[in-house]
Amino acid sequence: DQNPAFSSGGLLLYEDIIQYDDLKSINFRKNPLFFLNSCESGIINYIGGGYHNSIPSILLNNGAISVISCIYPVKTKPALEFSNNFYIY
């Protein structure tokens, strides 16, 4: 099964999808850290012609300093515990 965000070409947030092209047009220099604590949010997709695309690469190319994301499915409880501990320290 393919991640629904990637099959639509973007990132699924709540009920809306932010398209790759929309992400590419945003300057993220004032947002130094992105924490994408969701299943497969860091997967890299081959888009042809020797090019790859991923949400983390778009964020980094547009000024984000760092991105934390998952390349595998994550279970809700461990993901919640990890993010809570991350922000405590």
Side-chain angles (χ1 to χ4, degrees), residues 15-87:
E15 296 177 359
D16 295 324
I17 294 176
I18 297 176
Q19 300 295 323
Y20 279 136
D21 290 337
D22 295 334
L23 282 174
K24 289 178 181 179
S25 66
I26 300 171
N27 179 336
F28 295 111
R29 285 191 176 88
K30 293 185 179 181
N31 301 289
L33 171 65
F34 283 83
F35 193 114
L36 306 175
N37 194 10
S38 60
C39 295
E40 302 172 342
S41 57
I43 289 181
I44 299 171
N45 291 328
Y46 180 70
I47 56 175
Y51 295 98
H52 294 83
N53 206 3
S54 72
I55 292 169
S57 66
I58 291 170
L59 297 172
L60 292 167
N61 287 335
N62 287 4
I65 295 171
S66 56
V67 177
I68 297 171
S69 61
C70 303
I71 59 171
Y72 295 106
V74 293
K75 295 187 184 260
T76 303
K77 187 175 179 182
L80 177 63
E81 290 175 11
F82 178 81
S83 61
N84 284 339
N85 287 324
F86 177 83
Y87 284 105

